[in-house]
Amino acid sequence: MTYMILLAAGRSERLDIGIKKQYIEYNDKPLFMHSLETIIQVKNIDKIIITIPKEDENSEFIRFLYESNIYKNNKNRIYITFGGKERYDSVRNSFVYIEENLDYNNNDKILIHDSARPFVTKNDIERLIIALDKYNAVSLACKCIDTVKIIKNTSDDIYEVENTLDRDKIYLIYTPQGFRYDTIKKAYDGFYNDTNKISKITDDLQMVEMYTDEKTYLLDGDRNNIKITTKEDLKYIN
Ligand code: CTP
Ligand code: MG
């Protein structure tokens, strides 16, 4: 089995425009349905679990999903569950949902995607699934094109530079990220059992790096697979 977790339970605090970004209307549908439409086309994905905020269960946006053809034609593939406070809590809730409601085994492939990345391509998802035949933890990524510097202080809007990094070795991390179920499960169990955990973890590959001995890998992805994060990004979905 191959699962896709589609995360749509964030609160868009950095965007801060009064509507959660996953619901912004773009080409006549809420934003989260764009990556859903691409994911649905990937025949190898058996089941898709969408995490939504509990408070939006009866909202017009979720009603729109239930009434859409994409949902009606794929009822046996699309499942809805509720997210948590942090992104990783939403991922964890999806694991609980899978374990309680769906058939799974430790060798299954599990992909995790941010619905705030509406431009993910079918080709990249398919390449990621193939990469999981050989590797247990892989993320789509994109080579950094700007020069990157580490700064010393962050007190003002001008920063003293500490050093410059080797750009050729810097990759920006995209989603989806893909895992074998036992690998990501072990990582999450380690994280939730860690009494000294740092809460700043923002991607699942890092969970594997911190809590397992597995190596993690990056797969070159389409550079247009950007994340809608701040007001400046709204131009991409206008
Ligand atoms: N996400 C989630 N559950 C959370 C937090 C985030 O499902 N508790 C999802 C978001 O819906 C988004 C993806 O994870 O699709 C990436 O997160 P991010 O871009 O940080 O979205 P938000 O957390 O909503 O935005 P912000 O951090 O600005 O509040
Ligand atoms: Mg966030």
Side-chain angles (χ1 to χ4, degrees):
M1 279 277 210
T2 298
Y3 289 99
M4 171 69 87
I5 294 172
L6 179 60
L7 296 172
R11 299 201 157 69
S12 307
E13 280 161 12
R14 283 170 290 179
L15 189 60
D16 193 25
I17 53 165
I19 176 174
K20 294 175 187 128
K21 58 192 176 186
Q22 56 270 41
Y23 304 141
I24 295 172
E25 187 178 321
Y26 173 52
N27 288 346
D28 303 324
K29 48 186 170 280
L31 194 69
F32 76 94
M33 287 184 62
H34 286 261
S35 40
L36 178 62
E37 288 201 345
T38 307
I39 292 162
I40 281 290
Q41 290 170 37
V42 180
K43 295 284 173 283
N44 283 341
I45 294 179
D46 301 287
K47 293 186 189 300
I48 301 153
I49 296 92
I50 310 176
T51 70
I52 61 163
K54 174 99 178 90
E55 71 266 20
D56 297 340
E57 191 179 5
N58 299 313
S59 68
E60 59 182 298
F61 311 107
I62 305 307
R63 260 205 323 275
F64 188 96
L65 170 69
Y66 284 129
E67 284 163 13
S68 66
N69 284 333
I70 187 171
Y71 180 76
K72 286 181 184 156
N73 297 334
N74 294 281
K75 270 191 177 154
N76 57 344
R77 286 175 81 200
I78 300 177
Y79 302 82
I80 310 281
T81 187
F82 301 126
K85 185 166 181 292
E86 302 294 336
R87 184 185 183 280
Y88 47 73
D89 297 320
S90 296
V91 174
R92 167 88 156 182
N93 284 0
S94 307
F95 295 159
V96 171
Y97 183 85
I98 290 171
E99 288 172 18
E100 287 181 354
N101 298 284
L102 306 172
D103 291 329
Y104 81 99
N105 75 58
N106 281 332
N107 205 31
D108 284 340
K109 296 176 181 179
I110 184 145
L111 278 61
I112 304 169
H113 182 61
D114 295 335
S115 66
R117 298 184 186 275
F119 305 119
V120 63
T121 66
K122 181 172 176 251
N123 184 43
D124 274 357
I125 300 173
E126 288 170 344
R127 289 168 58 243
L128 182 67
I129 293 172
I130 292 168
L132 288 173
D133 288 339
K134 230 172 138 184
Y135 305 101
N136 290 342
V138 188
S139 178
L140 287 175
C142 195
K143 196 161 192 276
C144 184
I145 53 168
D146 294 318
T147 298
V148 182
K149 293 183 192 287
I150 303 285
I151 53 157
K152 272 186 183 161
N153 66 65
T154 57
S155 58
D156 206 341
D157 65 349
I158 182 153
Y159 314 108
E160 184 184 344
V161 172
E162 187 165 296
N163 64 325
T164 303
L165 301 181
D166 177 1
R167 186 173 66 191
D168 288 339
K169 285 194 174 159
I170 310 272
Y171 275 75
L172 305 179
I173 301 305
Y174 285 4
T175 70
Q177 304 189 329
F179 308 89
R180 290 288 177 168
Y181 200 81
D182 52 357
T183 299
I184 191 67
K185 195 61 194 9
K186 186 173 177 213
Y188 265 78
D189 286 347
F191 175 73
Y192 277 89
N193 289 326
D194 182 354
T195 44
N196 297 314
K197 62 174 165 277
I198 53 160
S199 57
K200 239 180 138 186
I201 297 184
T202 52
D203 89 308
D204 301 305
L205 219 58
Q206 193 186 355
M207 289 283 190
V208 173
E209 290 153 16
M210 290 186 69
Y211 294 103
T212 77
D213 298 326
E214 297 272 355
K215 289 186 175 142
T216 60
Y217 296 87
L218 304 183
L219 175 68
D220 262 315
D222 189 322
R223 193 160 153 241
N224 294 317
N225 183 14
I226 50 116
K227 182 157 70 74
I228 306 298
T229 306
T230 65
K231 288 191 183 71
E232 288 85 353
D233 302 326
L234 292 176
K235 63 177 179 288
Y236 298 112
I237 52 170
N238 261 331

Short mmCIF file of all heavy atoms in Angstrom, two decimals, residues 5-16 20-22 31-32 51-53 82-91 94 112-117 175 202 227-230, ligand 1:
data_model
loop_
_atom_site.label_atom_id
_atom_site.label_comp_id
_atom_site.label_asym_id
_atom_site.label_seq_id
_atom_site.Cartn_x
_atom_site.Cartn_y
_atom_site.Cartn_z
N ILE A 5 -0.50 11.48 3.11
CA ILE A 5 -1.11 12.37 4.10
C ILE A 5 -1.06 13.78 3.51
O ILE A 5 0.03 14.27 3.17
CB ILE A 5 -0.34 12.32 5.44
CG1 ILE A 5 -0.47 10.92 6.06
CG2 ILE A 5 -0.83 13.40 6.39
CD1 ILE A 5 0.42 10.71 7.28
N LEU A 6 -2.20 14.41 3.38
CA LEU A 6 -2.26 15.77 2.85
C LEU A 6 -2.61 16.71 4.01
O LEU A 6 -3.73 16.67 4.54
CB LEU A 6 -3.32 15.86 1.73
CG LEU A 6 -3.50 17.23 1.09
CD1 LEU A 6 -2.21 17.73 0.44
CD2 LEU A 6 -4.62 17.19 0.06
N LEU A 7 -1.63 17.50 4.40
CA LEU A 7 -1.80 18.35 5.59
C LEU A 7 -2.53 19.64 5.24
O LEU A 7 -2.05 20.42 4.41
CB LEU A 7 -0.43 18.68 6.18
CG LEU A 7 0.35 17.48 6.72
CD1 LEU A 7 1.76 17.91 7.11
CD2 LEU A 7 -0.37 16.86 7.91
N ALA A 8 -3.66 19.85 5.89
CA ALA A 8 -4.42 21.08 5.65
C ALA A 8 -5.02 21.57 6.96
O ALA A 8 -6.14 22.07 7.01
CB ALA A 8 -5.51 20.83 4.61
N ALA A 9 -4.26 21.43 8.04
CA ALA A 9 -4.80 21.78 9.36
C ALA A 9 -4.05 22.93 10.02
O ALA A 9 -4.19 23.16 11.22
CB ALA A 9 -4.78 20.55 10.27
N GLY A 10 -3.27 23.66 9.23
CA GLY A 10 -2.53 24.79 9.79
C GLY A 10 -3.42 26.01 9.96
O GLY A 10 -4.57 26.03 9.50
N ARG A 11 -2.87 27.03 10.62
CA ARG A 11 -3.68 28.22 10.93
C ARG A 11 -3.19 29.48 10.22
O ARG A 11 -3.67 30.57 10.46
CB ARG A 11 -3.76 28.41 12.44
CG ARG A 11 -4.43 27.19 13.05
CD ARG A 11 -5.04 27.33 14.40
NE ARG A 11 -6.08 26.29 14.56
CZ ARG A 11 -5.83 25.00 14.66
NH1 ARG A 11 -4.61 24.55 14.65
NH2 ARG A 11 -6.82 24.13 14.78
N SER A 12 -2.20 29.35 9.37
CA SER A 12 -1.76 30.44 8.48
C SER A 12 -1.42 31.73 9.23
O SER A 12 -1.81 32.81 8.82
CB SER A 12 -2.83 30.72 7.43
OG SER A 12 -3.18 29.55 6.76
N GLU A 13 -0.70 31.61 10.33
CA GLU A 13 -0.39 32.79 11.13
C GLU A 13 0.53 33.77 10.42
O GLU A 13 0.40 34.98 10.56
CB GLU A 13 0.22 32.36 12.48
CG GLU A 13 -0.89 31.93 13.44
CD GLU A 13 -0.41 31.08 14.59
OE1 GLU A 13 0.83 31.01 14.80
OE2 GLU A 13 -1.26 30.49 15.27
N ARG A 14 1.46 33.26 9.62
CA ARG A 14 2.35 34.18 8.91
C ARG A 14 1.63 34.91 7.78
O ARG A 14 1.97 36.03 7.44
CB ARG A 14 3.59 33.44 8.38
CG ARG A 14 4.61 33.15 9.47
CD ARG A 14 5.68 32.22 8.98
NE ARG A 14 5.17 30.86 8.78
CZ ARG A 14 5.90 29.84 8.34
NH1 ARG A 14 7.17 30.04 8.04
NH2 ARG A 14 5.37 28.64 8.21
N LEU A 15 0.65 34.29 7.20
CA LEU A 15 -0.11 34.95 6.13
C LEU A 15 -1.04 35.99 6.73
O LEU A 15 -1.08 37.14 6.27
CB LEU A 15 -0.89 33.90 5.34
CG LEU A 15 -1.56 34.37 4.07
CD1 LEU A 15 -0.53 34.92 3.10
CD2 LEU A 15 -2.33 33.22 3.42
N ASP A 16 -1.80 35.58 7.76
CA ASP A 16 -2.61 36.50 8.55
C ASP A 16 -3.53 37.38 7.71
O ASP A 16 -3.44 38.61 7.74
CB ASP A 16 -1.64 37.38 9.40
CG ASP A 16 -2.39 38.15 10.47
OD1 ASP A 16 -3.47 37.70 10.88
OD2 ASP A 16 -1.90 39.23 10.87
N LYS A 20 -7.76 30.92 6.34
CA LYS A 20 -6.63 29.97 6.30
C LYS A 20 -6.24 29.74 4.84
O LYS A 20 -7.12 29.59 3.98
CB LYS A 20 -7.04 28.67 6.97
CG LYS A 20 -7.29 28.82 8.46
CD LYS A 20 -7.80 27.53 9.07
CE LYS A 20 -8.20 27.75 10.52
NZ LYS A 20 -9.55 27.26 10.83
N LYS A 21 -4.93 29.67 4.60
CA LYS A 21 -4.48 29.65 3.20
C LYS A 21 -4.98 28.42 2.43
O LYS A 21 -5.21 28.50 1.23
CB LYS A 21 -2.96 29.75 3.12
CG LYS A 21 -2.19 28.68 3.86
CD LYS A 21 -0.72 29.06 3.95
CE LYS A 21 0.07 28.06 4.77
NZ LYS A 21 1.45 28.50 4.98
N GLN A 22 -5.19 27.31 3.13
CA GLN A 22 -5.65 26.11 2.42
C GLN A 22 -7.05 26.29 1.82
O GLN A 22 -7.46 25.50 0.97
CB GLN A 22 -5.62 24.88 3.36
CG GLN A 22 -6.41 24.98 4.65
CD GLN A 22 -5.58 25.52 5.79
OE1 GLN A 22 -4.81 26.45 5.63
NE2 GLN A 22 -5.75 24.94 6.97
N LEU A 31 -7.68 26.06 -2.10
CA LEU A 31 -6.29 25.74 -2.46
C LEU A 31 -5.90 24.28 -2.19
O LEU A 31 -5.20 23.67 -3.00
CB LEU A 31 -5.34 26.68 -1.69
CG LEU A 31 -3.92 26.70 -2.22
CD1 LEU A 31 -3.84 27.38 -3.58
CD2 LEU A 31 -2.99 27.41 -1.24
N PHE A 32 -6.37 23.73 -1.07
CA PHE A 32 -5.93 22.36 -0.74
C PHE A 32 -6.40 21.34 -1.77
O PHE A 32 -5.81 20.26 -1.89
CB PHE A 32 -6.37 21.95 0.68
CG PHE A 32 -7.83 21.60 0.81
CD1 PHE A 32 -8.26 20.29 0.71
CD2 PHE A 32 -8.77 22.59 1.07
CE1 PHE A 32 -9.61 19.96 0.85
CE2 PHE A 32 -10.11 22.28 1.20
CZ PHE A 32 -10.54 20.96 1.09
N THR A 51 -5.79 16.00 6.57
CA THR A 51 -6.00 16.52 7.92
C THR A 51 -6.58 17.91 7.82
O THR A 51 -6.05 18.76 7.10
CB THR A 51 -4.70 16.60 8.75
OG1 THR A 51 -3.88 17.64 8.22
CG2 THR A 51 -3.94 15.31 8.77
N ILE A 52 -7.66 18.14 8.55
CA ILE A 52 -8.29 19.47 8.56
C ILE A 52 -8.41 19.95 10.01
O ILE A 52 -8.38 19.13 10.93
CB ILE A 52 -9.68 19.43 7.89
CG1 ILE A 52 -10.63 18.48 8.66
CG2 ILE A 52 -9.58 19.00 6.43
CD1 ILE A 52 -12.09 18.68 8.33
N PRO A 53 -8.55 21.26 10.22
CA PRO A 53 -8.76 21.73 11.60
C PRO A 53 -10.13 21.27 12.09
O PRO A 53 -11.11 21.35 11.35
CB PRO A 53 -8.73 23.26 11.46
CG PRO A 53 -8.12 23.54 10.12
CD PRO A 53 -8.49 22.37 9.26
N PHE A 82 -8.60 14.88 11.78
CA PHE A 82 -8.36 16.21 12.32
C PHE A 82 -6.89 16.40 12.66
O PHE A 82 -6.22 15.49 13.13
CB PHE A 82 -9.21 16.44 13.57
CG PHE A 82 -10.67 16.31 13.29
CD1 PHE A 82 -11.46 15.44 14.02
CD2 PHE A 82 -11.25 17.04 12.26
CE1 PHE A 82 -12.81 15.30 13.73
CE2 PHE A 82 -12.60 16.91 11.96
CZ PHE A 82 -13.37 16.03 12.70
N GLY A 83 -6.41 17.62 12.42
CA GLY A 83 -5.02 17.96 12.72
C GLY A 83 -4.83 18.30 14.18
O GLY A 83 -5.77 18.26 14.98
N GLY A 84 -3.60 18.65 14.52
CA GLY A 84 -3.28 19.02 15.89
C GLY A 84 -2.66 20.40 15.94
O GLY A 84 -2.68 21.14 14.96
N LYS A 85 -2.08 20.72 17.09
CA LYS A 85 -1.56 22.08 17.31
C LYS A 85 -0.42 22.40 16.35
O LYS A 85 -0.43 23.41 15.66
CB LYS A 85 -1.10 22.18 18.76
CG LYS A 85 -0.64 23.57 19.16
CD LYS A 85 -0.52 23.67 20.69
CE LYS A 85 -0.08 25.06 21.12
NZ LYS A 85 1.30 25.38 20.72
N GLU A 86 0.58 21.55 16.31
CA GLU A 86 1.72 21.77 15.43
C GLU A 86 1.61 20.85 14.22
O GLU A 86 0.87 19.87 14.24
CB GLU A 86 3.04 21.45 16.17
CG GLU A 86 3.26 22.26 17.44
CD GLU A 86 3.45 23.75 17.17
OE1 GLU A 86 3.85 24.11 16.03
OE2 GLU A 86 3.16 24.55 18.08
N ARG A 87 2.42 21.16 13.20
CA ARG A 87 2.40 20.33 11.99
C ARG A 87 2.65 18.86 12.34
O ARG A 87 1.98 17.96 11.85
CB ARG A 87 3.45 20.84 11.00
CG ARG A 87 3.46 20.09 9.66
CD ARG A 87 4.62 20.59 8.81
NE ARG A 87 4.66 19.99 7.49
CZ ARG A 87 5.15 18.78 7.22
NH1 ARG A 87 5.62 18.02 8.21
NH2 ARG A 87 5.17 18.32 5.99
N TYR A 88 3.63 18.62 13.23
CA TYR A 88 3.95 17.22 13.55
C TYR A 88 2.80 16.55 14.30
O TYR A 88 2.61 15.34 14.19
CB TYR A 88 5.28 17.08 14.30
CG TYR A 88 5.52 18.02 15.45
CD1 TYR A 88 4.85 17.89 16.66
CD2 TYR A 88 6.45 19.05 15.34
CE1 TYR A 88 5.09 18.75 17.72
CE2 TYR A 88 6.70 19.92 16.39
CZ TYR A 88 6.02 19.77 17.57
OH TYR A 88 6.26 20.62 18.61
N ASP A 89 2.01 17.34 15.05
CA ASP A 89 0.84 16.74 15.71
C ASP A 89 -0.19 16.29 14.66
O ASP A 89 -0.86 15.27 14.83
CB ASP A 89 0.18 17.74 16.66
CG ASP A 89 1.09 18.15 17.80
OD1 ASP A 89 1.81 17.29 18.34
OD2 ASP A 89 1.10 19.35 18.15
N SER A 90 -0.30 17.06 13.59
CA SER A 90 -1.22 16.68 12.51
C SER A 90 -0.75 15.40 11.82
O SER A 90 -1.56 14.52 11.50
CB SER A 90 -1.35 17.81 11.48
OG SER A 90 -1.92 18.95 12.09
N VAL A 91 0.55 15.30 11.61
CA VAL A 91 1.11 14.08 11.00
C VAL A 91 0.82 12.89 11.92
O VAL A 91 0.34 11.84 11.48
CB VAL A 91 2.63 14.23 10.76
CG1 VAL A 91 3.23 12.91 10.27
CG2 VAL A 91 2.91 15.35 9.76
N SER A 94 -2.61 11.61 11.84
CA SER A 94 -2.88 10.83 10.63
C SER A 94 -2.40 9.40 10.80
O SER A 94 -3.05 8.46 10.33
CB SER A 94 -2.18 11.45 9.42
OG SER A 94 -2.53 12.79 9.31
N ILE A 112 4.04 12.43 2.76
CA ILE A 112 3.44 13.52 3.54
C ILE A 112 3.62 14.81 2.75
O ILE A 112 4.75 15.16 2.37
CB ILE A 112 4.12 13.63 4.93
CG1 ILE A 112 4.03 12.28 5.66
CG2 ILE A 112 3.48 14.75 5.75
CD1 ILE A 112 4.88 12.20 6.92
N HIS A 113 2.50 15.49 2.48
CA HIS A 113 2.56 16.68 1.62
C HIS A 113 1.86 17.87 2.29
O HIS A 113 0.81 17.72 2.91
CB HIS A 113 1.91 16.38 0.27
CG HIS A 113 1.96 17.52 -0.69
ND1 HIS A 113 3.15 18.07 -1.13
CD2 HIS A 113 0.98 18.25 -1.29
CE1 HIS A 113 2.88 19.08 -1.96
NE2 HIS A 113 1.58 19.20 -2.06
N ASP A 114 2.42 19.06 2.11
CA ASP A 114 1.80 20.31 2.57
C ASP A 114 0.78 20.77 1.52
O ASP A 114 1.17 21.04 0.38
CB ASP A 114 2.85 21.43 2.68
CG ASP A 114 3.89 21.17 3.74
OD1 ASP A 114 3.61 20.41 4.68
OD2 ASP A 114 4.99 21.74 3.62
N SER A 115 -0.46 20.93 1.94
CA SER A 115 -1.45 21.41 0.96
C SER A 115 -1.13 22.84 0.53
O SER A 115 -1.65 23.32 -0.47
CB SER A 115 -2.86 21.34 1.54
OG SER A 115 -2.97 22.25 2.61
N ALA A 116 -0.28 23.53 1.28
CA ALA A 116 0.13 24.88 0.91
C ALA A 116 1.10 24.88 -0.28
O ALA A 116 1.57 25.93 -0.70
CB ALA A 116 0.77 25.58 2.11
N ARG A 117 1.39 23.70 -0.82
CA ARG A 117 2.20 23.58 -2.06
C ARG A 117 1.28 23.06 -3.17
O ARG A 117 1.26 21.86 -3.46
CB ARG A 117 3.38 22.62 -1.87
CG ARG A 117 4.35 23.08 -0.81
CD ARG A 117 5.55 22.14 -0.73
NE ARG A 117 6.40 22.50 0.37
CZ ARG A 117 7.36 23.43 0.31
NH1 ARG A 117 7.60 24.06 -0.81
NH2 ARG A 117 8.08 23.70 1.38
N THR A 175 7.97 19.39 -0.27
CA THR A 175 7.20 18.17 0.00
C THR A 175 6.55 17.76 -1.31
O THR A 175 6.46 18.58 -2.22
CB THR A 175 6.10 18.37 1.08
OG1 THR A 175 5.06 19.20 0.56
CG2 THR A 175 6.66 18.96 2.36
N THR A 202 10.37 21.19 11.67
CA THR A 202 9.36 21.59 10.69
C THR A 202 9.28 20.63 9.50
O THR A 202 8.51 20.86 8.59
CB THR A 202 9.65 23.01 10.16
OG1 THR A 202 11.00 23.07 9.72
CG2 THR A 202 9.42 24.05 11.23
N LYS A 227 5.88 26.88 -1.51
CA LYS A 227 4.86 26.89 -0.46
C LYS A 227 4.30 28.30 -0.31
O LYS A 227 5.05 29.26 -0.22
CB LYS A 227 5.45 26.42 0.87
CG LYS A 227 4.42 26.35 2.00
CD LYS A 227 4.85 25.40 3.10
CE LYS A 227 6.02 25.92 3.89
NZ LYS A 227 5.64 27.03 4.80
N ILE A 228 2.99 28.41 -0.29
CA ILE A 228 2.36 29.69 -0.01
C ILE A 228 2.51 29.94 1.49
O ILE A 228 1.98 29.16 2.30
CB ILE A 228 0.85 29.67 -0.41
CG1 ILE A 228 0.67 29.22 -1.86
CG2 ILE A 228 0.21 31.03 -0.13
CD1 ILE A 228 1.29 30.10 -2.91
N THR A 229 3.26 30.96 1.85
CA THR A 229 3.55 31.19 3.27
C THR A 229 3.20 32.62 3.71
O THR A 229 2.56 32.82 4.75
CB THR A 229 5.04 30.92 3.57
OG1 THR A 229 5.36 29.61 3.12
CG2 THR A 229 5.33 30.99 5.07
N THR A 230 3.64 33.62 2.93
CA THR A 230 3.42 35.02 3.33
C THR A 230 2.59 35.74 2.26
O THR A 230 2.33 35.19 1.18
CB THR A 230 4.76 35.77 3.49
OG1 THR A 230 5.39 35.83 2.21
CG2 THR A 230 5.67 35.07 4.48
N1 CTP B 1 -0.18 22.13 8.98
C1 CTP B 1 -1.05 21.22 9.59
N2 CTP B 1 -1.24 21.27 10.95
C2 CTP B 1 -0.61 22.19 11.71
C3 CTP B 1 0.29 23.11 11.11
C4 CTP B 1 0.48 23.05 9.73
O1 CTP B 1 -1.65 20.38 8.90
N3 CTP B 1 -0.84 22.22 13.02
C5 CTP B 1 -0.03 22.12 7.53
C6 CTP B 1 -0.48 23.42 6.87
O2 CTP B 1 -1.88 23.40 6.61
C7 CTP B 1 0.36 23.51 5.64
C8 CTP B 1 1.61 22.68 5.97
O3 CTP B 1 1.32 21.99 7.19
O4 CTP B 1 -0.25 22.98 4.49
C9 CTP B 1 2.86 23.52 6.07
O5 CTP B 1 2.78 24.37 7.19
P1 CTP B 1 2.89 25.96 7.16
O6 CTP B 1 3.25 26.46 5.82
O7 CTP B 1 3.69 26.36 8.34
O8 CTP B 1 1.34 26.37 7.37
P2 CTP B 1 0.68 27.04 8.65
O9 CTP B 1 1.19 26.37 9.88
O10 CTP B 1 -0.79 27.07 8.42
O11 CTP B 1 1.23 28.53 8.55
P3 CTP B 1 1.94 29.39 9.71
O12 CTP B 1 3.12 28.58 10.16
O13 CTP B 1 2.28 30.67 9.05
O14 CTP B 1 0.89 29.54 10.80
#
